[in-house]
Amino acid sequence: MLDHGTAPPATGDDQRSPRPAAGFAAGLMRRKPVERLVAEGGQGEGGSLRRSLGMWQLTMISIGATLGTGIFVVLGEAVPKAGPAVIISFVIAGITALFSALSYAELAGTIPVSGSSYSYAYATLGELVAWVCGWCLILEYGVSVAAVAVGWGQYLNELLDGTIGVTIPASLANPPGDGGVFNLPALLVVLLCMAFLLGGAKESARANTIMVAVKIVALLLFCGVAFQGIKAGNYTPFMPLGVAGLSSAGASLFFSYIGFDAASTAGEEAKDAQRDLPRAIMLSLIIVTALYCLVAAVAVGAMPWQKFEGSEAALAGIMKDVTGQSFWAVLLAAGAVIAIASVVLTVLYGQTRILFAMSRDGLVPKVFSKVHAKSGTPRANTVIVSLFCGILAAAIPLGQLADATSIGTLFAFALVNVAVIVLRRTRPDMKRTFRVPLSPVFPAIGFLLCVYMMGSLDKVTWMVFGVWMAVGLVIYFGYGRSRSRLAREETQVSLEK
């Protein structure tokens, strides 16, 4: 539901000067006014981000961050959990993402800033919840970059084998625990994407658009060729591992839908963020879900589901089996190398912009919000994040990374659904360029679906998440809480009185 307009002048609490320093509990609940979030858009240490992205580029950022992850990489992890019913798992994950996407679209049009759900939570649920959300986003984006980069090396080996007959040794193409010592290709693709990002948002968006076009063509080519190898018997039994397997695969595949919120991280570099962000989010989700389901249906029809176990380059293998020729597999591998690189590029971009927003608020060091005057990008931020994600990709197996990303994503999305309900109640006067239909029912459904999907993840994933949250809280109370800009302003007001 479109409702064009801009946010009204600040009213009530939003116009007041910072209040005297709050007590401990009240300080954790301090909120950052929406108008201030919007007014600070693009501002960093020593410079400002540049508004250069239109709706098409924002849509391509969403598709670039999403399309390819679940099909080119995680399909080999999900099919053994659900069998041919992985098609339904994609639908379940897509519907779960849809309800959250509606909430994202409303908040992106109302609060068009770089922090994504971190900023939405800061404006509605308070500083502590915002920090937790931001910490989850670091897990979601940073770890997913590493997870996708792991699969990139598998397709690179397929491409090298099919073209020059040489492959990267297993010890340098796999992380420890997967038969290797160090995943060199994963590190290289992250560093390559870092180089694009350092050139500027507009240049990165242009490169991403080209890569998205290549990946769509590659997936449609796969469907056309692999369709010839479909056997009806491969679809039976359709649900060999029952409803539990269906839910488990859906929870893992939710990892594949994190891209739609990447557009919301570009809020401070969009030409008309309030109009274009909601449209880009919804359009990208529709395109991606349709392609995921189509490719999954063809893939499980062309190859028995049991053979997907341990395959991180499943589509290339299917092309080779169906045609009996390596040419088509090589062609698909080339498309996958480009496609997965675009996921790394756009998700890495989103991670840097979230840290940019958190740094501007004082919750993480200032180095993350320093803007390079010439390129208009947070260069130091980009280099630090890229090196961290690259090393992570080189050292940790794919399955563990994908599940850890899913739980962080689901938690952040759950908070976004709550934020829509809260903002509707606390600021009903605000103009919204997009409204979630049937609110608060749809946001509540989105919240419950996220909680349900989280419950489908295994105990190890929950343990990792618990440790991650504990570390995050230690950092917040040891660093972020005392250095928060809002906290320091409140303290200053108290001293002046």
Side-chain angles (χ1 to χ4, degrees), residues 227-367:
F227 184 80
Q228 304 170 47
I230 290 180
K231 298 177 182 177
N234 288 339
Y235 291 110
T236 56
F238 187 69
M239 199 181 298
L241 302 173
V243 176
L246 198 68
S247 298
S248 179
S252 293
L253 288 172
F254 193 84
F255 160 82
S256 309
Y257 287 90
I258 69 169
F260 73 78
D261 65 326
S264 68
T265 67
E268 296 174 23
E269 290 161 285
K271 294 177 182 177
D272 189 347
Q274 288 188 307
R275 183 196 68 185
D276 293 340
L277 283 177
R279 296 177 178 181
I281 289 170
M282 298 309 301
L283 181 59
S284 64
L285 184 64
I286 291 170
I287 292 172
V288 166
T289 303
L291 278 168
Y292 273 168
C293 292
L294 175 63
V295 175
V298 173
V300 296
M303 185 168 80
W305 68 272
Q306 297 92 337
K307 291 187 178 182
F308 281 84
E309 183 74 42
S311 174
E312 292 173 357
L315 301 191
I318 291 172
M319 293 277 271
K320 188 182 294 184
D321 291 343
V322 169
T323 63
Q325 301 175 5
S326 61
F327 170 77
W328 294 105
V330 170
L331 198 60
L332 182 74
V337 166
I338 295 172
I340 296 172
S342 77
V343 178
V344 175
L345 175 68
T346 48
V347 177
L348 192 62
Y349 166 85
Q351 173 68 95
T352 60
R353 271 43 180 186
I354 290 164
L355 281 169
F356 177 87
M358 295 177 74
S359 174
R360 186 171 55 202
D361 292 332
L363 299 181
V364 297
K366 288 184 178 180
V367 65

Side-chain angles (χ1 to χ4, degrees), residues 360-385:
R360 186 171 55 202
D361 292 332
L363 299 181
V364 297
K366 288 184 178 180
V367 65
F368 291 102
S369 57
K370 287 184 177 179
V371 177
H372 189 267
K374 185 177 180 180
S375 65
T377 61
R379 281 197 169 184
N381 179 345
T382 302
V383 171
I384 293 170
V385 170

